[in-house]
Each structure stands twice: as C-alpha cells, then as structure tokens.
Amino acid sequence: MRAQEKQAIEAVSDHLANLQRAPDPHALARVIGTTLGATGCALTIAGDCYRWGHGAGPWLEHTVEYGGQPQGILAVAPESAGPVAALAAVLGAPLAEVRLAAETDRLRRDGDAAAHELVDDRWRATVEMEQERRGLERDLHDGAQHHLVALRMALALVEHAGAATEQRLDTLMSKLDTAEKVLVGTAAGILPIALATEGLAAALKAELAGHEDVMLNTAGLRHRYAPLVESTVYFACLEAVNNAHKHAPGASIAATVRDSHLGLEFVVSDDGPGFTVTALNSGLPNLSARLATVGGTVTIRSAPGRGTTITGFVPR
C-alpha cells in the first residue's frame, strides 16, 4: 500500500471518528483529495456527485461496496493519485450511511409531495362539489321557481274565478305537473329538451309562451353557442323574468336576446314600480355568480317609478 493511500485511510478514519452525525460527502472528498495530493476527488452516491478540487488530469474511478452491494463511486484525479482500492474498502460503511440518509430524505420528500397532492386533490374535489351544489341550487332557483311563481299567480286568480274555478284548477294541475318535471329534471342535471336540441331561442319561446305578460324577442339571435353558455343565459333570463313577476306584479315584461361580434346579450325590462339601485343589488348576486362562470357580467338599471332593466352579457 502506498504511503499516501495509507495516510488517506488514517485521515478518513480520524475524520469519521470525530463525527456526531452522518458523514458529509463534500468533507470526505476534501479529506481524501488533500491527503492523496490529488487535484480533484469526487464521491458519487445515490445519483448525486460531491466533488472537491478542479480535477486536472485523467480520473481514476473505483466502485465502493459494502455488504456485497455497491454504495457509490470514488474518483480521483490524476490517475497517479491512486490506486485507491484499500481506501474504497474503508469508505464502504460511510457511503452506505450517506446513501441511506439520501434515500430516506428523498422518500420523505416524495411522501410529503404525495401528501400535499392528496390534500390538493381533496380540496379541488371539495371545491368542485361545492360549485356543483351551487350550480344545482341556482338551476333550481331559476328554473323550478319560475314555475312556482306562476303557480302562485294562478292561485291568486282562482280566488276570483267564480264559475270558471274548475277550468282554473285544471290549469293549476298542469302547472304543477310542469313544475314537478322541471324539479326532477334539474336535480338530475337534465336540460330542457328544446335547449339541448334547438338552442336558446327555442327554449325561451317554449318556456315563456304561457306568460301573456312577457314579450320575447329573439330575432337578433342568429347563432348557437356552447351548451354551458346557452344554459347559463337561459336560466339567467328566467330568473330576471321571475324577479319581474315577484317584484313588479301586473307589469309588462320585455325580454330580448341577441348576439353580435362582441358576444351574446340579453335584456329583461319591466314597467313596474322600480327601486333604488344600491351596491347590494346592483348586480343581483345570484345572476352575477351564474354569468361569472362563463366570463359574463350583469348590470341593473332602475329607479322608483321608472321600471327596471337587467342586462347580461357573455363575451365571445
């Protein structure tokens, strides 16, 4: 054994004896390189390279084993600094400890990342479930409630129907059947057939045909849009009409849906009593939340004695 290699083994042994924790591979490379008089020393452990010196000249590499298993690679430069076989034997246990520590740390990081990903997935699932719940809530509110308001109005008429009570009751039963179908379909996520097959204009005509106080104008609607956009505007129009029925009973209602090169727009106005617009009702929170899902906006204009106009817009 060369004197330099023996000195390197003794230096490494002394260095390891004074350690209170796992060996520092950078420090080991420095101790080995300086003791051998090498220009460079590198320890490759678990895929990571710990290097000391600039490493001038050809490198000599030697596999470090422990327990019959490779633990890393010892490389010194120049080749004249070796042979390092005896030194590699001494490094077996320390490199095994470094490798185990590195692999343990990597497994810990992978476990932390997996845990964070699981939390993120659960959070995303919770958010998506909440969004679905809110969407269903809005659909029930805007679709089924539209029919329930019509029922309330029909009941008020029955009180004054006199001889025509039987006919009024038949109308009420028909409206109850319609409301039940809408509730069941909405809860199951089923869109109106006319909306799914023929589009927004046909669906609004079918839905509002029974309301003599509503004048619908879809002449400016010439294009089809994505299903989510059409269903959003459909339910938004129904809610706007429903609001007019509730807050401006007896008023005439005009609903217009049109498209342009900028996007899809709907306007629902009534000549009812109107109200003072405040920050709380300036966008009607439910309408605003619905249109926001497709990047749309809603505005409201009203004043006491001047009716109300609700305008929604979804950009292309």
Side-chain angles (χ1 to χ4, degrees):
M1 180 185 301
R2 292 175 51 191
Q4 281 185 316
E5 189 174 12
K6 183 177 180 180
Q7 290 176 356
I9 292 174
E10 293 175 352
V12 169
S13 299
D14 291 342
H15 174 76
L16 295 174
N18 294 324
L19 293 179
Q20 301 296 322
R21 52 185 177 81
D24 178 359
H26 284 110
L28 275 177
R30 176 180 53 80
V31 170
I32 295 169
T34 54
T35 307
L36 289 176
T39 59
C41 179
L43 292 170
T44 302
I45 309 168
D48 295 322
C49 183
Y50 306 92
R51 183 168 174 166
W52 168 87
H54 60 277
W59 287 77
L60 173 66
E61 294 185 354
H62 193 93
T63 300
V64 179
E65 295 186 354
Y66 183 73
Q69 298 293 326
Q71 305 299 325
I73 297 175
L74 168 65
V76 294
E79 290 179 324
S80 57
V84 291
L87 182 58
V90 174
L91 290 173
L95 263 62
E97 185 177 0
V98 173
R99 181 183 62 79
L100 288 173
E103 291 178 351
T104 300
D105 185 60
R106 185 174 290 115
L107 289 172
R108 179 190 60 77
R109 291 198 304 271
D110 291 345
D112 289 345
H116 285 303
E117 184 176 356
L118 179 60
V119 171
D120 290 343
D121 287 343
R122 287 177 175 174
W123 174 254
R124 281 194 294 270
T126 301
V127 171
E128 289 172 359
M129 289 174 63
E130 178 64 12
Q131 289 175 338
E132 289 292 332
R133 185 192 68 78
R134 289 180 181 273
L136 180 58
E137 180 183 37
R138 287 195 298 267
D139 290 349
L140 288 170
H141 177 275
D142 301 345
Q145 190 182 47
H146 172 72
H147 292 279
L148 296 177
V149 170
L151 279 173
R152 184 190 298 274
M153 296 173 64
L155 280 170
L157 292 174
V158 168
E159 295 179 355
H160 307 286
T165 299
E166 185 175 350
Q167 181 181 354
R168 294 289 187 182
L169 287 175
D170 289 341
T171 301
L172 280 178
M173 292 302 296
S174 176
K175 290 183 179 294
L176 278 171
D177 289 341
T178 301
E180 182 181 11
K181 290 178 182 178
V182 171
L183 280 171
V184 172
T186 304
I190 302 172
L191 294 175
I193 294 177
L195 179 60
T197 59
E198 301 179 57
L200 180 58
L204 288 174
K205 288 176 183 177
E207 187 65 31
L208 299 176
H211 295 270
E212 297 179 356
D213 57 344
V214 180
M215 182 170 59
L216 176 64
N217 181 2
T218 59
L221 182 57
R222 298 174 296 274
H223 305 292
R224 291 295 302 269
Y225 291 83
L228 180 59
V229 172
E230 290 193 339
S231 64
T232 297
V233 173
Y234 171 79
F235 283 114
C237 285
L238 293 190
E239 181 178 3
V241 170
N242 187 49
N243 285 335
H245 279 145
K246 287 194 297 183
H247 302 297
S252 296
I253 303 170
T256 301
V257 184
R258 53 181 174 252
D259 50 27
S260 69
H261 66 285
L262 295 177
L264 177 60
E265 181 184 56
F266 72 87
V267 180
V268 177
S269 60
D270 66 72
D271 58 1
F275 58 93
T276 301
V277 179
T278 65
L280 292 178
N281 59 31
S282 61
L284 296 176
N286 194 47
L287 272 175
S288 295
R290 178 180 290 282
L291 287 170
T293 62
V294 290
T297 57
V298 62
T299 57
I300 182 169
R301 291 186 290 109
S302 185
R306 302 185 63 179
T308 302
T309 298
I310 296 174
T311 302
F313 179 74
V314 179
R316 285 190 181 274

